[in-house]
Amino acid sequence: MKKTVSSLKAMKQKEKIVMITAYDALFANLFRDADILLVGDSLNMSFGGAKDTLSASLEQMIYHTKAVCNGAPDTFVVCDMPFGTYTDEQIALQNCIKVYQETNAGAVKIEGGVEKAHIIKALTTNSIAVMGHIGLMPQFVRSEGGYKIKGKDEANIAKLILDAKAIEEAGAFAIVIEGVKPEAAKAITQAVQIPTIGIGAGSDTDGQVLVWSDMFGLNTEFKPKFVRTYLDGATLFQNGLKEYMKNVKDGSFPDENEVY
Ligand code: KIV
């Protein structure tokens, strides 16, 4: 059965939430059994080849979210709001309404803590479901001078808890916690009533998310410590291509059964 905001919230402390990224209809369909499909702006890096997520546009995210919703109509889909599309309440409302009107996404995701709570509130009070995102926030890579692991000391853990509580108070239904020490993720998870979904944050969150091309071994140049590789996708595809090339070159493809 398709998950909803309330059924996802009810999973906290009962069943771990499985979220995986998806960017197109083909793979969304293959991943349709996950609890949540995230159309992450990570697509700008993993599939667009860019060095960060900042140049992802709203139009791109809408295009990919539509495709994912088409491929997995019975799975809950979250559209990542790209950099610069939620700088104030009015802009965020305008852009998130566009996402809701043009796609079947069940929610949007927004990076930021206390400072973004008023924006989350403006969205949730206008019937837009919001997933928060705290800790290492890829859209802050340039302002922070790199991807920095968070929650390394008591003061920072306290700040992250304040962020999570502000997001919860603003009406978000879940929070992604990225790139934080496991003890910080645990403390945040215990401090809020809504589910937390971790990436590089240890096992004490209410769910996990990974970027699909990382976990299925397609990205041979990027292998962070937190990623478990479930498949040697690169080798599978490269072997497939090798075989196809061989068959075309030697004339064995197509054969008499592969023609009209
Ligand atoms: O863009 C993305 O894929 C994300 C996940 C890594 C959480 O934000």
Side-chain angles (χ1 to χ4, degrees):
M1 196 149 85
K2 186 170 182 166
K3 296 288 190 301
T4 61
V5 161
S6 17
S7 65
L8 288 163
K9 280 168 89 171
M11 286 172 79
K12 188 171 173 97
Q13 284 171 348
K14 291 200 183 80
E15 184 187 342
K16 294 271 190 182
I17 295 174
V18 178
M19 182 157 90
I20 181 170
T21 63
Y23 312 118
D24 60 32
L26 185 66
F27 283 92
N29 189 259
L30 292 177
F31 303 155
R32 64 184 182 271
D33 289 342
D35 296 311
I36 307 177
L37 294 177
L38 171 66
V39 188
D41 60 357
S42 54
L43 68 85
N44 204 47
M45 299 168 75
S46 48
F47 289 85
K51 68 172 183 7
D52 58 38
T53 61
L54 303 198
S55 54
S57 68
L58 185 64
E59 286 64 36
Q60 257 177 294
M61 297 310 298
I62 288 177
Y63 171 86
H64 288 280
T65 303
K66 263 189 204 168
V68 168
C69 294
N70 288 343
D74 297 324
T75 310
F76 190 88
V77 174
V78 176
C79 172
D80 216 356
M81 294 306 289
F83 180 68
T85 60
Y86 50 96
T87 46
D88 68 27
E89 293 171 21
Q90 227 22 62
I91 291 172
L93 266 171
Q94 194 180 307
N95 288 326
C96 294
I97 287 171
K98 194 171 159 69
V99 169
Y100 260 39
Q101 287 179 332
E102 296 185 20
T103 78
N104 284 320
V108 296
K109 180 166 81 59
I110 278 180
E111 294 183 13
V114 170
E115 77 289 356
K116 288 288 190 309
H118 66 109
I119 292 173
I120 295 173
K121 178 116 188 150
L123 295 171
T124 57
T125 52
N126 282 286
S127 309
I128 293 166
V130 178
M131 176 180 277
H133 183 152
I134 59 172
L136 185 161
M137 295 178 285
Q139 291 179 13
F140 288 63
V141 62
R142 293 191 203 164
S143 60
E144 293 191 352
Y147 296 105
K148 311 275 187 212
I149 299 303
K150 301 287 166 57
K152 286 184 172 173
D153 56 49
E154 286 305 318
N156 191 242
I157 294 176
K159 183 200 173 295
L160 288 168
I161 290 175
L162 284 181
D163 284 336
K165 284 187 165 168
I167 291 171
E168 176 180 39
E169 175 70 26
F173 74 98
I175 309 175
V176 167
I177 307 177
E178 178 166 359
V180 308
K181 299 292 278 180
E183 51 276 22
K186 184 176 181 179
I188 299 163
T189 300
Q190 286 172 345
V192 292
Q193 304 303 309
I194 54 174
T196 59
I197 302 178
I199 174 162
S203 61
D204 287 316
T205 51
D206 300 305
Q208 296 290 328
V209 56
L210 283 174
V211 169
W212 85 258
S213 46
D214 297 341
M215 64 186 288
F216 293 141
L218 288 187
N219 199 338
T220 50
E221 268 143 50
F222 178 70
K223 218 173 165 299
K225 193 176 176 206
F226 64 83
V227 173
R228 186 176 295 175
T229 309
Y230 287 89
L231 200 70
D232 186 359
T235 305
L236 275 178
F237 281 106
Q238 281 165 344
N239 285 347
L241 177 69
K242 241 186 243 163
E243 192 62 12
Y244 169 55
M245 288 181 72
K246 182 172 152 295
N247 295 166
V248 172
K249 301 270 185 201
D250 68 15
S252 64
F253 173 80
D255 65 19
E256 67 279 6
N257 297 313
E258 292 159 332
V259 287
Y260 288 108

